[in-house]
Amino acid sequence: MKRIIAIIGTGKAAETHINGYNEIRGIKIKWIFSKEASRSHDLSKRYKIPNYTKNYNDILNDPEVEIVDIANKNYQHLDFAEKALEKKKNVIIEKPIDIDIKKTKRFYKKYKNSDRSILIVYQYPYSETFKKLGEIIHSKKYGELKAYSIKHFS
């Protein structure tokens, strides 16, 4: 069974997420959203994503979409996340969650009262720790990586 994802945003973070998903079996990116249709259309063609839209409701009303990955402008994260949560979608949010602490606290309360999952993405691709981890994984010294969990303190 494939997990069906929609990507919100068309910038560097969105492309990073798309590239990551394309490395994972069992993931299908079905939609890409941008308020500028030309940007979502360009990415949909480049990455062979079947649907693009500038109408977020297209994504929210698609019963196949299980996960909404929000990688757009920081001040818009929770506007999209709250609507996704209301439509019973799981949410991935690129850091920061939002720039408004009151909105963030309100969202947290909604999330705690839901049966959905939220993942906040923190990426450290240029740290020495993660460079070394990447080398080890790609070397397959310990076999094929199935999953990992890491605590990283900077």
Side-chain angles (χ1 to χ4, degrees), residues 10-151:
T10 53
K12 281 186 177 181
E15 286 199 66
T16 299
H17 290 212
I18 291 167
N19 285 321
Y21 291 132
N22 286 338
E23 296 291 321
I24 303 170
R25 280 176 277 156
I27 297 285
K28 177 185 176 189
I29 303 170
K30 185 175 181 182
W31 289 94
I32 187 152
F33 167 89
S34 175
K35 290 183 178 179
E36 298 175 40
S38 63
R39 290 181 57 86
S40 55
H41 178 254
D42 290 347
L43 277 185
S44 74
K45 284 177 66 177
R46 190 173 337 141
Y47 291 102
K48 297 181 176 133
I49 298 169
N51 302 291
Y52 66 93
T53 187
K54 66 177 192 173
N55 181 352
Y56 188 43
N57 287 321
D58 292 340
I59 291 166
L60 294 177
N61 293 326
D62 184 334
E64 287 187 331
V65 173
E66 179 183 356
I67 302 165
V68 177
D69 183 329
I70 302 167
N72 61 347
K73 295 177 177 131
N74 297 341
Y75 66 89
Q76 296 175 332
H77 287 176
L78 288 185
D79 297 332
F80 286 91
E82 285 181 358
K83 290 176 184 171
L85 207 57
E86 289 168 7
K87 289 289 195 167
K88 304 290 186 196
K89 310 290 186 192
N90 297 299
V91 178
I92 297 172
I93 305 173
E94 182 65 38
K95 68 163 176 42
I97 297 172
D98 201 88
I99 60 172
D100 182 332
I101 193 69
K102 288 180 184 175
K103 275 174 64 177
T104 302
K105 287 179 179 180
R106 185 178 67 238
F107 176 74
Y108 179 74
K109 286 179 186 173
K110 285 183 181 180
Y111 156 68
K112 290 303 281 180
N113 291 321
S114 77
D115 62 349
R116 302 289 97 189
S117 295
I118 305 294
L119 172 68
I120 302 160
V121 177
Y122 290 89
Q123 297 182 41
Y124 300 96
Y126 304 109
S127 75
E128 291 304 315
T129 303
F130 285 88
K131 284 182 188 176
K132 185 65 177 173
L133 180 61
E135 290 171 16
I136 292 168
I137 291 168
H138 291 297
S139 75
K140 297 193 178 179
K141 180 178 179 178
Y142 302 103
E144 184 179 350
L145 178 69
K146 300 292 184 190
Y148 75 93
S149 176
I150 190 166
K151 290 184 180 179

